[in-house]
Amino acid sequence: MMMLYDDPSDRRSLSLDDASSTEESPDEVRLSLETENDAVPYIGQRFPTHDAAYEFYSEFAKRCGFSIRRHRTEGKDGVGKGLTRRYFVCHRAGNTPVKNTNENKPQRNRKSSRCGCQAYLRISKITDLGAPEWRVTGFANHHNHELLEQNQVRFLPAYRTISDTDKSRILMFAKTGISVQQMMRLMELEKCVEPGYLPFTEKDVRNLLQSFRKVDPEDESIDLLRMCRNIKDKDPNFRFECTLDSDNRLENIAWSYASSIQSYEIFGDAVVFDTTHRLTAFDMPLGIWVGINNYGMPCFFGCVLLREENLRSFLWALKAFLGFMNGKAPQTILTDQNMFLKEAIAMEMPTSKHALCIWMIVGKFPSWFNAVLGERYNDWKAEFYRLYNLETVGDFEQGWREMINCFGVQTNRHITNLFALRSLWALPYLRRHFFAGMTSGGQSKSINGFIQRFLSAQSRVGQFVEQVAVAVDFRDQAGEQQTMQQNLQNISLKTGAPMESHAATVLTPFAFCKLQEQLVLAAHYASFQMEDGFLVRHHTKVEGGGRKVYWVPESDQVEGGGGLISCSCHQFEFSGILCRHALRVLSTGNCFQIPERYLPIRWRRISSSSSSNKLVQTGGGGGPSSSTDHHEHAERVQFLQNMVSTLITESAKSKERLDIATEQVATLLSRIQEQPPPVSVSVSSSSQLGGISRRTPIQRSM
């Protein structure tokens, strides 16, 4: 008798010898045939092939809440004998195999599901009655672990299948460049199933896309480096960094454009570093740095491709990015939940506040909780958002305890993990830090849509770098059009307050609308002067609650003038827009203009590509020769911007006015462009960047 094993780890893990298994006898066969339901395996049950027996046992296992795998086969020596016995076992049978560790290769710390379960089905080949058949000669259905519910068992790998039709559909989606997450949502809609109820997961789709890949990595690396050098030849201010391994093959590469570096100088205070995508055609993790400009539109800062998602790779990526940006770290950086990345940020950007992107977390909710919560999923999600938007830590933590008790999710591992990381994603813990509004649902969709523009699941690497460049150029042009459209909109003043009309001439329409909302609400609040500040609360509240506002009016002791004001709600620190409570105190104190320091440069009506923008923001470098001249120049620039804003508002009132303005401004602009710009008003960081210029569009032919 010879014995063959399908899995070496199972050789001594399951005792299935003849003495320990249930053997058939004629009486038992007869009894089983008479009394047992065919839906349950029984001794003596017959199958034409061993595959048919496997399919039957697999369906039985699925109904019970487990899956199976082929364990071992037995055969007899001699020609023509072949296989005579097969064992099918529970997917949790056996013990964890011991793996050989390699210090130079990162290890995947995945917990094994095997626990030595003894459930099995044994079939034997019978040839006594003429045509060969397979008969059940041993069966045990005793498990040493909990069986899964029907809404959970479908997630076991054995039951996750992608049909040929779905495979073709996925490949078609991939060629259009949409993300795996979007593919899943589309197929859920097409099949009319709830989120999380497809017979396969996002991981299965990614594995399938990877199997489509047929490229030569070395050729791809050569194309990628050639593309970067071509861009560098056309735009000397383009920056890229790369590393090669011991075999001189590409390991990591990061790049950024001159226009991106320029935008980062002003709008790099809050940055999203999205590492949730992979360049499928090359199987490389992809990281994208993006932010929000003064008109509320996404702006691209940089891109990185990594061979591995480990601490060493993320450290290199962050160091390369800081190098592109002349060592300037963001105030806040938002990422996906990745412990390697979290550690890398703490090491390379110790002064930056690290937070988790809420939309990346919420995007995983359907697969995490839909099956677990069933019909209560939407109610739970609404309660989660309510807790997320609370203002105080105490209210959040009390509400979280009530939520997990109400929905019975105390032991859910995702709930436990979310609470452990609450200080990185829940707003009550983050309001003292600047996020530029990137935690809102609208901005998250805008950023995600921007990223999807240049993601293509089936791109070759060289083409991908080109796609990013084209997408950024397109975004720059579209952004300019949207900026003009915003500026052409008639701004309607709602309060008639001098503060409102002043802010309308300074802030972009996007930022002004945010401030205007607070000004309108401020009229519904009452302020009470206390010994150490002001108490501000809604007029309907007679006592209790309210926000504490501290205000130091304009005086010689306050540097820069305009006074100092702060509120316990921390909205200005969080968004750069004053809150209703502070505005109420300013109005009560006869303040008719918002102090300059509370109209941040990053929200003002200035183009990110203009040199004057840098000049107003930065205080040294290549600006005017003295601080007095610098201040005068900044004031003149601000005055010109106000005139232009008024010009646009007045011109938009009729077609005739617009025609006159367009003709005259075109003539004036032509005259200005004929004048060479003086060195004294150059961008302060131009010496470091070698001058900032707009990128030349990249040609496809190399």
Side-chain angles (χ1 to χ4, degrees):
M1 181 83 67
M2 69 176 181
M3 192 159 297
L4 305 173
Y5 289 87
D6 288 343
D7 191 331
S9 66
D10 293 331
R11 296 188 184 189
R12 294 176 298 276
S13 61
L14 191 64
S15 176
L16 300 176
D17 54 33
D18 293 342
S20 65
S21 52
T22 306
E23 294 292 346
E24 66 169 312
S25 67
D27 293 336
E28 287 175 328
V29 173
R30 194 178 307 109
L31 181 63
S32 297
L33 290 172
E34 291 172 359
T35 62
E36 293 292 335
N37 189 314
D38 280 352
V40 180
Y42 55 87
I43 301 301
Q45 189 174 11
R46 299 179 177 90
F47 299 95
T49 65
H50 59 79
D51 287 333
Y54 178 85
E55 292 298 327
F56 175 84
Y57 190 33
S58 179
E59 287 298 319
F60 168 76
K62 187 175 183 180
R63 292 194 301 272
C64 291
F66 67 102
S67 65
I68 64 170
R69 69 175 189 274
R70 292 176 173 85
H71 176 59
R72 75 187 189 205
T73 60
E74 297 174 0
K76 294 181 180 179
D77 293 326
V79 178
K81 295 293 183 180
L83 299 179
T84 60
R85 184 178 292 182
R86 294 212 69 152
Y87 289 86
F88 307 129
V89 298
C90 173
H91 74 288
R92 301 195 66 176
N95 298 315
T96 306
V98 179
K99 295 182 180 180
N100 296 325
T101 59
N102 186 342
E103 294 181 357
N104 297 324
K105 185 178 181 181
Q107 300 298 312
R108 300 176 69 183
N109 186 21
R110 294 191 301 178
K111 185 178 179 181
S112 173
S113 64
R114 299 191 181 185
C115 60
C117 180
Q118 296 286 315
Y120 77 99
L121 178 77
R122 184 179 65 229
I123 57 174
S124 299
K125 189 175 183 180
I126 306 298
T127 57
D128 298 342
L129 302 177
E133 64 179 6
W134 292 84
R135 188 177 299 173
V136 176
T137 57
F139 172 60
N141 198 33
H142 303 293
H143 300 263
N144 64 351
H145 56 89
E146 290 186 6
L147 299 178
L148 300 177
E149 299 292 337
Q150 284 303 299
N151 62 353
Q152 297 173 321
V153 71
R154 60 194 179 84
F155 290 114
L156 291 174
Y159 305 124
R160 300 201 313 255
T161 57
I162 305 179
S163 67
D164 290 340
T165 302
D166 288 339
K167 287 179 182 178
S168 300
R169 195 84 175 136
I170 289 167
L171 183 56
M172 185 197 72
F173 286 146
K175 289 179 178 178
T176 67
I178 68 173
S179 69
V180 172
Q181 204 172 48
Q182 289 174 316
M183 294 181 199
M184 297 291 285
R185 299 295 86 82
L186 283 172
M187 297 186 78
E188 286 166 353
L189 291 172
E190 289 177 349
K191 295 176 180 293
C192 298
V193 300
E194 291 292 322
Y197 275 80
L198 287 173
F200 47 84
T201 64
E202 288 187 15
K203 182 179 180 182
D204 298 325
V205 175
R206 288 192 172 88
N207 290 339
L208 177 66
L209 292 174
Q210 177 58 26
S211 69
F212 292 149
R213 180 174 61 91
K214 295 180 180 179
V215 297
D216 186 337
E218 292 190 11
D219 290 345
E220 287 286 289
S221 301
I222 294 170
D223 290 345
L224 176 58
L225 291 173
R226 184 187 298 121
M227 172 61 72
C228 288
R229 292 190 180 103
N230 286 348
I231 300 173
K232 186 73 174 177
D233 291 341
K234 295 175 181 179
D235 182 0
N237 299 314
F238 170 76
R239 293 185 175 185
F240 76 97
E241 294 285 344
C242 64
T243 60
L244 305 176
D245 62 16
S246 56
D247 296 324
N248 208 35
R249 295 178 302 181
L250 182 67
E251 188 176 35
N252 306 307
I253 185 166
W255 67 93
S256 183
Y257 306 99
S259 60
S260 301
I261 297 167
Q262 182 179 359
S263 294
Y264 183 85
E265 277 292 312
I266 309 148
F267 308 121
D269 40 19
V271 173
V272 171
F273 184 30
D274 188 346
T275 58
T276 60
H277 307 281
R278 297 183 77 87
L279 195 59
T280 309
F282 204 44
D283 192 30
M284 292 185 75
L286 170 68
I288 304 168
W289 287 279
V290 294
I292 292 292
N293 69 10
N294 51 339
Y295 284 85
M297 293 178 285
C299 48
F300 175 86
F301 295 142
C303 214
V304 64
L305 286 167
L306 305 170
R307 181 179 295 179
E308 300 286 346
E309 287 184 278
N310 54 30
L311 178 60
R312 175 174 167 270
S313 295
F314 284 130
L315 283 171
W316 179 88
L318 295 175
K319 189 173 294 185
F321 180 72
L322 288 176
F324 299 157
M325 305 306 171
N326 305 306
K328 178 184 176 182
Q331 294 178 34
T332 306
I333 182 168
L334 295 100
T335 71
D336 188 28
Q337 185 178 333
N338 185 303
M339 291 302 104
F340 287 134
L341 185 53
K342 181 176 182 292
E343 187 176 349
I345 290 172
M347 295 171 67
E348 285 295 328
M349 298 179 174
T351 61
S352 300
K353 171 61 181 175
H354 178 215
L356 301 180
C357 284
I358 187 62
W359 71 83
M360 295 183 189
I361 294 175
V362 172
K364 301 171 185 175
F365 281 0
S367 60
W368 284 358
F369 301 121
N370 202 314
V372 175
L373 294 168
E375 294 180 354
R376 304 187 72 193
Y377 171 73
N378 288 331
D379 293 337
W380 172 85
K381 191 174 179 181
E383 177 62 10
F384 173 87
Y385 275 120
R386 187 188 73 81
L387 296 176
Y388 168 74
N389 285 294
L390 289 174
E391 289 194 2
T392 68
V393 170
D395 289 345
F396 173 84
E397 296 193 349
Q398 179 181 345
W400 189 271
R401 288 190 293 269
E402 294 171 355
M403 179 267 289
I404 63 174
N405 290 329
C406 175
F407 290 91
V409 289
Q410 298 93 330
T411 59
N412 184 279
R413 64 186 180 92
H414 297 301
I415 290 289
T416 302
N417 195 29
L418 279 173
F419 187 71
L421 296 172
R422 61 193 181 281
S423 63
L424 295 178
W425 60 264
L427 292 188
Y429 299 87
L430 301 175
R431 294 191 186 277
R432 295 175 183 267
H433 304 276
F434 182 70
F435 283 84
M438 289 195 291
T439 58
S440 68
Q443 289 297 358
S444 68
K445 290 179 181 177
S446 175
I447 291 173
N448 193 53
F450 173 61
I451 291 173
Q452 295 303 326
R453 288 199 65 87
F454 50 77
L455 275 180
S456 177
Q458 296 300 304
S459 286
R460 295 176 66 87
V461 172
Q463 294 172 345
F464 176 73
V465 177
E466 185 178 5
Q467 286 170 355
V468 174
V470 171
V472 173
D473 272 330
F474 175 83
R475 186 68 204 186
D476 287 347
Q477 296 167 17
E480 290 173 2
Q481 293 176 356
Q482 291 180 41
T483 297
M484 182 60 71
Q485 289 173 0
Q486 277 195 36
N487 288 330
L488 285 172
Q489 292 175 356
N490 284 325
I491 294 177
S492 175
L493 301 181
K494 298 180 179 179
T495 69
M499 278 194 293
E500 184 184 21
S501 57
H502 170 239
T505 63
V506 177
L507 300 177
T508 63
F510 170 81
F512 173 72
C513 286
K514 303 293 183 185
L515 181 69
Q516 190 178 52
E517 290 175 7
Q518 298 301 313
L519 278 166
V520 171
L521 291 170
H524 298 268
Y525 284 74
S527 65
F528 306 91
Q529 188 161 5
M530 316 291 285
E531 291 183 1
D532 57 345
F534 292 82
L535 178 65
V536 181
R537 64 181 175 221
H538 197 268
H539 72 94
T540 58
K541 293 186 177 180
V542 179
E543 58 183 36
R547 297 289 178 270
K548 200 67 175 290
V549 176
Y550 302 91
W551 182 36
V552 180
E554 183 174 359
S555 67
D556 294 337
Q557 284 73 37
V558 179
E559 183 181 353
L564 294 173
I565 193 165
S566 65
C567 180
S568 59
C569 75
H570 302 292
Q571 177 168 307
F572 181 76
E573 293 89 329
F574 183 69
S575 66
I577 302 294
L578 278 179
C579 64
R580 65 201 75 172
H581 318 106
L583 291 168
R584 177 60 183 167
V585 170
L586 289 174
S587 178
T588 303
N590 297 324
C591 186
F592 299 108
Q593 285 193 353
I594 295 174
E596 285 291 304
R597 61 167 44 87
Y598 299 109
L599 297 171
I601 292 293
R602 69 118 50 238
W603 293 131
R604 295 194 182 193
R605 284 177 177 265
I606 36 187
S607 170
S608 63
S609 60
S610 67
S611 299
S612 59
N613 186 19
K614 292 293 187 74
L615 187 62
V616 174
Q617 186 195 31
T618 58
S625 56
S626 68
S627 59
T628 303
D629 292 342
H630 176 88
H631 185 66
E632 271 184 38
H633 187 85
E635 286 185 345
R636 293 181 64 190
V637 168
Q638 185 66 61
F639 180 68
L640 177 61
Q641 289 165 350
N642 294 344
M643 288 178 62
V644 170
S645 176
T646 304
L647 172 67
I648 292 172
T649 302
E650 292 296 324
S651 301
K653 291 181 178 179
S654 71
K655 182 180 181 299
E656 292 74 15
R657 288 187 176 192
L658 195 58
D659 289 342
I660 295 171
T662 303
E663 181 182 351
Q664 295 298 322
V665 169
T667 303
L668 178 61
L669 184 60
S670 177
R671 288 178 57 192
I672 291 173
Q673 289 175 336
E674 291 173 359
Q675 304 299 315
V679 177
S680 58
V681 292
S682 62
V683 178
S684 61
S685 59
S686 62
S687 60
Q688 296 170 319
L689 299 180
I692 293 180
S693 62
R694 187 171 183 82
R695 285 179 292 104
T696 305
I698 299 161
Q699 304 299 321
R700 280 195 171 273
S701 58
M702 293 194 302

